[in-house]
Amino acid sequence: MMLALEMYRSMPRYIAARAVGGRVPGILTGPAAPVRLVNRAEPRSVAAGWARVKPILSGICGSDLGALFGQTSMYFSALVSMPFVPGHEVVGELVDDCEDLPAGTRVVLDPVLSCAARGVERCQSCANGQTNRCDRVTVGHVSPGLQTGYCADTGGGWGGQLVAHRSQLHAVPDGLSDERAVLVEPIACAVHTAMRAQVPDGGSVLVSGAGAVGLFATLALRELTPAGRISVVAKHARQRELARAFGATDVLSPDEVPARVRRATQAFRLSPDRSGEFLLGGVDVAIDAVGSKDSLSTTLRVTRAGGRVVLSGMPAAGADLSPVWFRELEVVGTYATQGREAFARAFDLAASAPLDGVVGGRYPLYRWREALDHAHSAGRLGTVKVAFDLRSSR
Amino acid sequence: MSRPGFVLEVDDRTPPLIVHEGEGFRLEKFPLGTRVVYSPESLPALRDVDGAIKHALEEPENSEPLRALLRPGMKLTIAFDDVSLPLPPMKRPDIRQRVIEQVLTMAAEAGVDDVQIIAALALHRRMTPSELKHALGERVYRSFAPDGLLYNHDAEDPDNLEFIGTTDQGEEVEINKRAAQSDLLVYVNINIVPMDGGHKSVPIGLASYRSLRHHHNSKTMVHSRSFMDHKKSAMHHSAWRMGRLLKDHLKIFTIETTLNNDVFPAPYEFLNKREWEWNVRDQATMLAAKRGLALAPSKMKRKIFQGMQAPYGITGVHAGETEAVHEKTLENVYRQQAVEVQGQSDVLIMGVPYLCPYNVDAVMNPILATCMGLGYFFNSYRNKPVVRPGGAVILYHPVPYEFSQLHHPSYVDFFEEVLAESTDPATIEQRFEKQYATDPWYIHLYRTSYAYHGVHPFYMWYWAAHAMDHVGDVVWVGADRRAVERMGFRAASTLADALEMVSGTVGRSPSITYTHNPPHLISDVR
Ligand SMILES: [Zn+2]
Ligand SMILES: [Zn+2]
């Protein structure tokens, strides 16, 4: 048996029942609470190529909070199986040998449960090496679940043990601390985002949001693309500092975005009737790293004609798409990562970037309410990443 | 008979004194021994203004009479000072109207029919139709504006600028094309401070950015001691060189007018008087006004103040060749405004009123408040500043963190973006000025809306450069802390706190001078 946090309500029912607003502990302790701390059986390896992993540190991702809050679109309800143990930003230790990796190896997880893990014939995307676009995430050896952390059979990082397929595992170099290694998965996602951004030489980029997603995107854009000015929208003092440390040219607060982007790009600024202002002209590329309606609306409105808007945060519904049409914007999504290369680059960044102190809170599982509350208010509290420390939870 | 300027030393019988602070004023009890400088009482006004104008046009300084310069078939252009003058606006009829009506009459008599009238606003905002009407009168406005013959100068219209040449110092002279191609340019000025007029009128008022940047920069501004003395101002030296170059290409007939100190209309006339001379009625209106303003919502306060029009008297009208005219003008201005002050003091205190040349019908934003205090008032001296080098300046103004998006769009960005990076004039000039000056959006708003040019906040900041360079400490009483700290200054809630804060710079018993304006005064520091 192992201790684990479990999301046990069906998301559709939870979303229907959820009270609007309120702080996390209120929701988490109330009757609608979708998670609980349980003792449950450890997940077992399902087929060849699978092995057990004992998580060491396991991050709390914005998408996890979205699911707990019921803010996630109903779209995803068909892509998960209940009850599941969340947690997909994992650094852990192999319990069993896993093909070429001996037991005891420290690993990080590529959480996507693609064709290889499911033991089905590879879909077109997987055949192209784009496992994040896999079409078979609901069939095969394990229950539906787009990722580890959303699948009933695999376990997740917020529990004492999980199982993973060799295709998901990346060995951690010896010199890299657990605190940095736990950031490799989100950094790999940011690397993928930076690639999807297709920044032109010297191009101007706006990153809306300075949580973990926005900050790591900034880091990846600065290190891996020929971006010129990178402007980061940040609310809190510590976020502003980190954005600069990660390569931002300038940092804006949310209410000054149209004005500052207009200045930086010498655009024209228009104020329509009963609607937000927008620019004619603007940045070459905008990254929405928040996923809120406001953030998406802003990024669409300050991107130049023919520019690119990258949806990096899990998006909310309801933004006005007029600028996409009128400005001929390219709107692209960026989900997880495409295979080994992004992880290789993420390992390099995790080793070299100024990441000390980025994991700002570590909690044992039984302190889950405080942990989730902390993660929910991370920006305000000056924390980038909150993680569960599983060594103290067993 | 008017009385000369007056310097008072505060003793225990001195009543609390009026200090202006934005859209209001306070009564302040100054420390014993504080030196208070009052402007001279208003000079008597000319009784026959129209006669004085006629006389000036017919017997000009160092020039043929205007009548002799007018002939049929010629191109005549009349340019005039824009809405930045005078402050507050003049009660109707504005002196510009009275002068221009006579010039037009004379032109008509001489058979001149190609006449255009241009507001010489350099990089200021355009004047609105009602402001043009106020300055020039209904009749002139109706006869010229509908046909496009009365309009605002556009310093960003390449089709309507003409490059004249380069001075021996490499300064490019480029001015309004219509003016440059006229057979005669008549310039009508209102001289409220000695900084204005002379060769500042045409080479600056009708210039382009390309031309202005040669003198409106941090280097010349910090080397102007002071702006009120054109012989000691690097900015004016440059304008003078340009003016002399222009003179060889263009016939200019300058008309300058001077005003007395009747700045405040009824019921605020008590503000024109010295406090201990208030009669019972003055006391009562003062208290009523003070209480009323304290209670009035800020919108209403702004309306009251922006609606004030001054009952100025005209003290002189001079016309003819620019430099000769300006000599006479300066005599009049100094006669009205100069006060002899013995020696410098450790601390200079100034109240900053609600209005400066650049916020007519708009809030005085933090940069303009600074420009007014450290640009205008600090520089209102001859010989040397009222405060010693390394001394302290204490200013009164609420410095609201507020901007007019209509008139000051680039100011907002300047405040948020540029001052966040640096407050050093030379640094910001080098890093940001060009971007702001060439930003197409600001240019668009300047040309088509009512916005100051993108570069204007830089000029305002440079104006304060000499003061910032000269003094060791600047503290604002009653100001928004966030706003003044962004500009690198400090805020205090009372005068006592402010004096405590500057004691590190000037000690615990500093010598203090309070310059009691408005009405405007120039300290002649001996
Ligand atoms: Zn994630
Ligand atoms: Zn697949």
Side-chain angles (χ1 to χ4, degrees):
Chain A
M1 296 293 274
M2 67 166 192
L3 201 60
L5 275 170
E6 184 180 82
M7 175 123 186
Y8 68 101
R9 276 177 190 267
S10 83
M11 260 201 273
R13 269 200 292 143
Y14 169 56
I15 291 167
R18 104 187 126 99
V20 177
R23 275 163 42 88
V24 181
I27 285 181
L28 295 179
T29 53
V35 276
R36 61 188 174 199
L37 187 63
V38 295
N39 249 307
R40 57 180 264 171
E42 283 133 356
R44 285 174 309 161
S45 294
V46 287
W50 285 81
R52 291 174 296 168
V53 177
K54 272 199 178 310
I56 300 168
L57 290 174
S58 200
I60 300 173
C61 172
S63 62
D64 299 327
L65 293 174
L68 295 174
F69 266 119
Q71 282 163 347
T72 305
S73 162
M74 295 293 276
Y75 177 94
F76 295 101
S77 60
L79 296 168
V80 302
S81 46
M82 292 277 178
F84 62 77
V85 179
H88 58 271
E89 299 176 357
V90 184
V91 54
E93 202 175 288
L94 271 177
V95 179
D96 315 305
D97 292 344
C98 187
E99 298 184 354
D100 55 322
L101 299 176
T105 306
R106 263 193 321 154
V107 290
V108 295
L109 204 63
D110 176 351
V112 177
L113 292 165
S114 60
C115 290
R118 293 178 174 278
V120 298
E121 195 180 330
R122 288 193 299 180
C123 69
Q124 191 60 51
S125 297
C126 284
N128 293 340
Q130 297 168 318
T131 50
N132 61 331
R133 297 184 186 173
C134 179
D135 293 330
R136 306 277 183 266
V137 294
T138 56
V139 298
H141 290 321
V142 291
S143 304
L146 65 172
Q147 295 190 353
T148 300
Y150 297 98
C151 170
D153 299 337
T154 59
W158 300 3
Q161 190 164 297
L162 57 86
V163 292
H165 184 258
R166 177 65 186 93
S167 65
Q168 298 182 280
L169 298 175
H170 300 274
V172 180
D174 280 345
L176 198 66
S177 68
D178 294 331
E179 278 71 17
R180 282 176 179 255
V182 73
L183 301 174
V184 167
E185 191 272 343
I187 292 175
C189 294
V191 167
H192 181 54
T193 298
M195 297 298 113
R196 295 281 287 159
Q198 295 185 358
V199 183
D201 234 353
S204 55
V205 185
L206 177 76
V207 179
S208 176
V213 175
L215 288 172
F216 294 154
T218 304
L219 178 69
L221 284 160
R222 181 51 82 213
E223 294 293 325
L224 307 174
T225 72
R229 175 188 283 266
I230 301 178
S231 306
V232 178
V233 183
K235 267 191 202 159
H236 307 289
R238 175 73 179 142
Q239 292 180 332
R240 304 172 82 88
E241 251 171 60
L242 284 164
R244 285 187 195 281
F246 284 6
T249 319
D250 56 346
V251 183
L252 337 174
S253 61
D255 57 347
E256 48 182 29
V257 173
R260 295 279 301 274
V261 172
R262 192 213 69 68
R263 263 282 310 130
T265 60
Q266 304 218 328
F268 278 36
R269 178 179 180 181
L270 301 178
S271 300
D273 295 336
R274 281 171 298 162
S275 175
E277 51 197 352
F278 65 89
L279 304 184
L280 296 179
V283 291
D284 297 308
V285 176
I287 314 267
D288 173 18
V290 177
S292 70
K293 184 178 155 188
D294 282 351
S295 172
L296 179 55
S297 295
T298 305
T299 53
L300 293 176
R301 281 160 183 262
V302 302
T303 304
R304 68 158 167 83
R308 192 164 250 252
V309 175
V310 184
L311 308 186
S312 180
M314 199 188 271
D320 179 357
L321 295 180
S322 305
V324 178
W325 176 74
F326 175 58
R327 299 279 84 195
E328 296 201 327
L329 300 180
E330 293 181 39
V331 179
V332 301
T334 168
Y335 166 68
T337 53
Q338 273 176 1
R340 305 247 145 214
E341 201 186 326
F343 268 86
R345 286 177 163 171
F347 274 115
D348 289 344
L349 289 177
S352 61
L355 295 174
D356 289 330
V358 162
V359 177
R362 286 184 299 170
Y363 292 85
L365 279 182
Y366 60 86
R367 292 263 180 225
W368 61 280
R369 287 196 176 88
E370 290 99 313
L372 295 175
D373 192 16
H374 187 172
H376 180 65
S377 313
R380 186 169 56 77
L381 299 171
T383 307
V384 180
K385 182 57 76 183
V386 177
F388 286 111
D389 188 336
L390 281 301
R391 286 167 299 198
S392 49
S393 301
R394 287 181 186 125
Chain B
M1 191 54 206
S2 75
R3 294 177 307 177
F6 184 79
V7 178
L8 161 93
E9 197 150 297
V10 171
D11 60 28
D12 44 19
R13 286 161 311 168
T14 310
L17 305 178
I18 289 270
V19 183
H20 289 267
E21 46 176 2
E23 285 148 355
F25 54 85
R26 71 168 77 185
L27 291 167
E28 187 71 273
K29 197 90 181 134
F30 286 94
L32 296 182
T34 299
R35 189 168 66 171
V36 185
V37 184
Y38 285 89
S39 60
E41 267 194 1
S42 259
L43 294 175
L46 295 176
R47 251 178 277 149
D48 179 10
V49 175
D50 292 327
I53 296 170
K54 187 157 184 269
H55 176 83
L57 300 183
E58 275 170 1
E59 286 170 48
E61 313 292 329
N62 204 6
S63 162
E64 295 166 87
L66 178 61
R67 200 180 296 279
L69 301 172
L70 301 169
R71 55 184 161 71
M74 77 184 299
K75 256 188 190 178
L76 170 65
T77 299
I78 303 171
F80 61 97
D81 284 343
D82 72 348
V83 74
S84 60
L85 286 165
L87 297 177
M90 192 181 303
K91 256 193 182 152
R92 281 172 199 256
D94 190 284
I95 185 66
R96 285 166 288 205
Q97 171 188 342
R98 298 170 85 161
V99 171
I100 288 172
E101 279 179 352
Q102 287 206 31
V103 172
L104 289 172
T105 306
M106 232 177 240
E109 284 165 7
V112 180
D113 48 20
D114 182 356
V115 182
Q116 295 191 13
I117 308 178
I118 307 175
L121 48 84
L123 303 180
H124 302 166
R125 72 164 169 87
R126 301 178 328 130
M127 290 174 79
T128 65
S130 76
E131 287 165 347
L132 288 168
K133 257 181 241 171
H134 182 90
L136 304 191
E138 193 77 30
R139 207 143 49 97
V140 173
Y141 182 83
R142 273 216 218 118
S143 331
F144 286 84
D147 300 327
L149 300 173
L150 161 59
Y151 52 90
N152 290 297
H153 168 61
D154 182 346
E156 287 287 355
D157 179 2
D159 295 340
N160 284 305
L161 292 168
E162 184 157 304
F163 183 71
I164 307 289
T166 309
T167 68
D168 55 2
Q169 307 270 320
E171 297 141 324
E172 299 158 286
V173 181
E174 182 174 65
I175 66 161
N176 185 285
K177 188 185 228 167
R178 162 74 198 192
Q181 294 181 348
S182 290
D183 298 301
L184 178 65
L185 173 62
V186 172
Y187 194 99
V188 183
N189 157 268
I190 301 177
N191 217 283
I192 195 155
V193 286
M195 182 186 76
D196 294 329
H199 287 307
K200 190 167 176 288
S201 295
V202 177
I204 292 183
L206 291 173
S208 65
Y209 171 66
R210 177 184 178 188
S211 202
L212 286 162
R213 68 197 164 102
H214 291 290
H215 39 68
H216 277 60
N217 56 54
S218 61
K219 194 159 159 259
T220 55
M221 299 255 191
V222 88
H223 288 105
S224 291
R225 308 287 162 79
S226 74
F227 295 117
M228 302 301 165
D229 188 346
H230 77 83
K231 291 183 178 130
K232 292 189 175 166
S233 152
M235 180 184 80
H236 284 87
H237 294 166
S238 178
W240 250 245
R241 284 190 292 273
M242 291 181 169
R244 284 172 182 164
L245 178 83
L246 264 177
K247 217 162 72 172
D248 300 336
H249 289 76
L250 175 62
K251 177 80 187 161
I252 300 172
F253 188 85
T254 294
I255 306 168
E256 297 191 344
T257 60
T258 50
L259 310 180
N260 69 8
N261 262 348
D262 290 346
V263 174
F264 292 100
Y268 294 93
E269 300 120 312
F270 65 88
L271 292 170
N272 283 330
K273 296 191 186 174
R274 295 162 190 179
E275 291 84 349
W276 64 92
E277 290 173 348
W278 284 343
N279 56 34
V280 177
R281 210 178 124 213
D282 291 328
Q283 296 266 8
T285 35
M286 182 278 292
L287 285 172
K290 194 170 172 320
R291 197 166 307 132
L293 288 170
L295 294 175
S298 61
K299 239 188 178 162
M300 189 194 291
K301 265 194 275 193
R302 191 154 304 156
K303 222 176 141 194
I304 294 172
F305 277 93
Q306 294 285 353
M308 271 192 195
Q309 296 186 350
Y312 297 113
I314 307 299
T315 58
V317 181
H318 297 280
E321 181 265 324
T322 308
E323 293 184 27
V325 169
H326 197 54
E327 284 298 310
K328 300 269 176 184
T329 299
L330 288 181
E331 270 173 42
N332 277 339
V333 172
Y334 286 127
R335 199 150 54 90
Q336 176 61 84
Q337 295 177 357
V339 191
E340 202 169 297
V341 171
Q342 294 303 320
Q344 296 176 307
S345 61
D346 298 318
V347 178
L348 170 61
I349 301 178
M350 298 176 283
V352 177
Y354 66 99
L355 189 58
C356 86
Y358 316 110
N359 74 312
V360 174
D361 261 338
V363 60
M364 184 185 276
N365 64 50
I367 294 153
L368 291 178
T370 299
C371 170
M372 193 61 178
L374 299 180
Y376 267 94
F377 286 174
F378 174 89
N379 281 295
S380 270
Y381 68 82
R382 275 202 295 191
N383 300 320
K384 51 193 175 183
V386 178
V387 59
R388 68 165 168 82
V393 168
I394 294 174
L395 296 157
Y396 285 75
H397 194 272
V399 198
Y401 200 119
E402 216 183 311
F403 294 84
S404 158
Q405 281 288 356
L406 175 66
H407 295 325
H408 302 123
S410 73
Y411 278 69
V412 190
D413 296 344
F414 177 88
F415 195 74
E416 299 281 347
E417 180 186 41
V418 177
L419 292 184
E421 293 292 318
S422 171
T423 57
D424 173 52
T427 307
I428 65 179
E429 174 179 6
Q430 189 238 326
R431 286 188 45 198
F432 293 101
E433 182 188 306
K434 190 159 177 237
Q435 273 185 49
Y436 273 70
T438 57
D439 189 312
W441 177 240
Y442 298 146
I443 291 173
H444 169 78
L445 294 175
Y446 161 80
R447 298 191 62 186
T448 61
S449 177
Y450 292 97
Y452 282 83
H453 193 274
V455 80
H456 204 256
F458 288 79
Y459 292 172
M460 295 302 96
W461 198 251
Y462 303 158
W463 268 44
H466 165 35
M468 292 192 276
D469 187 52
H470 180 84
V471 301
D473 224 333
V474 177
V475 176
W476 295 80
V477 177
D480 180 313
R481 199 166 292 274
R482 240 169 15 118
V484 298
E485 280 173 2
R486 165 61 56 92
M487 299 190 289
F489 308 127
R490 294 188 290 166
S493 34
T494 64
L495 176 58
D497 289 353
L499 287 168
E500 176 70 34
M501 286 163 75
V502 302
S503 63
T505 310
V506 296
R508 299 234 156 237
S509 48
S511 57
I512 302 173
T513 301
Y514 166 46
T515 51
H516 194 297
N517 54 13
H520 203 63
L521 66 88
I522 294 163
S523 305
D524 203 351
V525 184
R526 302 295 161 132

